[in-house]
Amino acid sequence: MTNNSHPPILTTGLQAHIAKAIGDAGGWIGFDRFMALALYTPGLGYYANDSRKFGLMPTGVTTVGGAGGSDFVTAPELSPRFGQALARQLAQALQATGTSEIWEFGAGSGALALQLLEALGPLVARYTIVDVSGSLVQRQRERLAAHGGKVHWVSELPAQMRGVVVGNEVLDAMPVKLLSRLENIWHERGVVVHQERFTWADQRTELRPPLEVAGIHDYLTEIHPQAEGFVRTLADRLEAGAVFMLDYGFPEHEYYHPQRSMGTVMCHRGHLSDADALVDVGSKDITAHVNFTGIALAGQDAGLQVLGYTGQGRFLLNCGLLDGLENAGLAERAMVQKLITEHEMGELFKVIGFATNSPVQPYGGWQAMGFAQGDRTHTL
């Protein structure tokens, strides 16, 4: 699968670093390792370098390659109403679990943290951000300066924690393993160096998708051991509280549909998307859709209760997104529409919630408002 348009790999420090890792591993690394290096290598990876990543494309900007100043937009950048609606759910969860701390994973630009802090006020005694990106942490510190007394940063989970956990577009950035079925034989897809370029290479494997994929046609997909391991670790360390994860993805039977034969890995730069993760490494995001069935089972097997699962649009409506919108201007209404309409973020993005079995509210003791109508847990 060599592509002559690929740039030489030694043109950047990150590419040279990955090439050395491939050599040190015997000439081949799995895609999950490649993705981790591309995104998180300290000082060089996409999330660890100083490039601007989050924000709206300025009006009238049509240039390619990030000239608009950012690569993609997340829901909090579209409208502060996103954070205000989510805050209503978090407030209910704080009260139901008898906790007073918010834990946010991968806080990005800090936009969501600011919205939640302003909306929750005294309900939150401490707001802890878990982020591995030094450049993003600096941006968050600047944005959240007014709340400096409450906000704290850590780079890894503590041994024990209490509070309500939130992660918006976090799971999709966790490295995935690629599996390819070629001539009815399963392989793990990885990366090698060929003619000074990164190139795909497959090795036979005993790994399989969690569901059997009907047919014998060639098929490419992902499995998510790191995201599922993250949820299990979270469950192990969360003594009391709740978890809400928002991301794009599908339940298992949709994820491994026979017709979804090209996988879901995508790259994002300059508000444009492409499917070639081996090009321009370090200058663009690499993501994969979430298998929410796997996430639900990982949490449940580790002792968490699934509070609910639904589309982002329904979740936000349940949390009062439209309250007071009749007084909003046209531009604000348009942004809110993007959050909830099916052809925008409302259906592709999903929300899953978990809770611990706390003495304040045992399992089943409270109904999370975000799932009060339209809960789809039965489809997982």
Side-chain angles (χ1 to χ4, degrees), residues 86-167:
L86 179 58
R88 295 186 182 99
Q89 174 61 91
L90 301 189
Q92 181 199 24
L94 288 167
Q95 182 178 15
T97 60
T99 59
S100 60
E101 183 169 2
I102 298 291
W103 294 79
E104 184 183 357
F105 283 83
S109 68
L112 179 58
L114 183 61
Q115 293 163 14
L116 294 178
L117 283 161
E118 290 178 345
L120 291 169
L123 290 177
V124 177
R126 183 182 175 98
Y127 195 107
T128 301
I129 293 174
V130 186
D131 210 311
V132 298
S133 171
S135 62
L136 288 176
V137 166
Q138 182 56 39
R139 188 174 173 190
Q140 294 156 16
R141 288 184 186 277
E142 294 169 1
R143 192 164 200 165
L144 303 174
H147 300 275
K150 283 187 179 181
V151 187
H152 304 267
W153 282 265
V154 296
S155 58
E156 57 185 26
L157 280 176
Q160 295 176 324
M161 52 193 290
R162 299 171 59 89
V164 177
V165 177
V166 62

Side-chain angles (χ1 to χ4, degrees), residues 206-229:
E206 297 299 316
L207 296 171
R208 296 291 185 273
L211 290 182
E212 183 177 349
V213 180
I216 60 172
H217 57 294
D218 289 355
Y219 193 89
L220 180 67
T221 192
E222 306 90 25
I223 56 175
H224 304 75
Q226 185 159 323
E228 292 164 13

Side-chain angles (χ1 to χ4, degrees), residues 16 23 49 59 109 115 188 297:
N49 63 39
T59 302
S109 68
Q115 293 163 14
E188 181 177 358
L297 289 173

Side-chain angles (χ1 to χ4, degrees), residues 325-347:
L325 192 63
E326 64 274 8
N327 300 319
L330 182 60
E332 185 176 358
R333 292 182 183 216
M335 290 301 181
V336 168
Q337 282 289 104
K338 288 180 179 292
L339 295 174
I340 59 175
T341 54
E342 289 190 5
H343 66 281
E344 294 278 359
M345 301 177 76
E347 180 55 32

Side-chain angles (χ1 to χ4, degrees), residues 142-211:
E142 294 169 1
R143 192 164 200 165
L144 303 174
H147 300 275
K150 283 187 179 181
V151 187
H152 304 267
W153 282 265
V154 296
S155 58
E156 57 185 26
L157 280 176
Q160 295 176 324
M161 52 193 290
R162 299 171 59 89
V164 177
V165 177
V166 62
N168 182 54
E169 294 195 52
V170 170
L171 297 175
D172 67 84
M174 293 190 176
V176 295
K177 286 185 175 292
L178 282 180
L179 299 183
S180 62
R181 184 175 66 188
L182 304 171
E183 298 181 352
N184 210 28
I185 297 173
W186 283 102
H187 302 75
E188 181 177 358
R189 179 156 293 179
V191 182
V192 299
V193 176
H194 178 68
Q195 296 181 352
E196 296 192 341
R197 294 175 173 88
F198 294 133
T199 304
W200 297 112
D202 295 335
Q203 295 187 356
R204 292 186 67 163
T205 183
E206 297 299 316
L207 296 171
R208 296 291 185 273
L211 290 182

Side-chain angles (χ1 to χ4, degrees), residues 30-58:
F31 179 72
D32 55 338
R33 175 67 173 149
F34 178 88
M35 183 173 172
L37 291 169
L39 295 180
Y40 301 111
T41 296
L44 298 173
Y46 178 77
Y47 280 110
N49 63 39
D50 293 331
S51 67
R52 184 168 184 238
K53 300 160 180 69
F54 305 90
L56 291 170
M57 179 69 83

Side-chain angles (χ1 to χ4, degrees), residues 199-364:
T199 304
W200 297 112
D202 295 335
Q203 295 187 356
R204 292 186 67 163
T205 183
E206 297 299 316
L207 296 171
R208 296 291 185 273
L211 290 182
E212 183 177 349
V213 180
I216 60 172
H217 57 294
D218 289 355
Y219 193 89
L220 180 67
T221 192
E222 306 90 25
I223 56 175
H224 304 75
Q226 185 159 323
E228 292 164 13
F230 164 74
V231 172
R232 286 191 290 270
T233 299
L234 195 58
D236 180 62
R237 301 188 183 186
L238 188 63
E239 294 181 312
V243 181
F244 296 91
M245 307 300 290
L246 303 90
D247 225 312
Y248 43 89
F250 313 100
E252 200 165 78
H253 66 279
E254 293 182 28
Y255 201 105
Y256 299 104
H257 192 282
Q259 294 180 3
R260 199 181 302 283
S261 61
M262 298 302 292
T264 72
V265 170
M266 291 295 295
C267 304
H268 304 276
R269 181 174 59 172
H271 293 260
L272 298 174
S273 300
D274 71 83
D276 197 339
L278 304 189
V279 173
D280 299 330
V281 179
S283 66
K284 60 185 180 181
D285 193 15
I286 306 173
T287 72
H289 283 51
V290 177
N291 169 17
F292 277 101
T293 301
I295 296 300
L297 289 173
Q300 193 172 58
D301 291 347
L304 294 176
Q305 170 81 6
V306 177
L307 288 173
Y309 164 76
T310 193
Q312 175 178 288
R314 171 47 58 189
F315 179 87
L316 293 175
L317 291 172
N318 288 341
C319 293
L321 178 74
L322 302 185
D323 292 356
L325 192 63
E326 64 274 8
N327 300 319
L330 182 60
E332 185 176 358
R333 292 182 183 216
M335 290 301 181
V336 168
Q337 282 289 104
K338 288 180 179 292
L339 295 174
I340 59 175
T341 54
E342 289 190 5
H343 66 281
E344 294 278 359
M345 301 177 76
E347 180 55 32
L348 176 61
F349 280 71
K350 310 296 195 308
V351 187
I352 191 167
F354 299 98
T356 62
N357 187 14
S358 73
V360 178
Q361 290 281 3
Y363 290 150

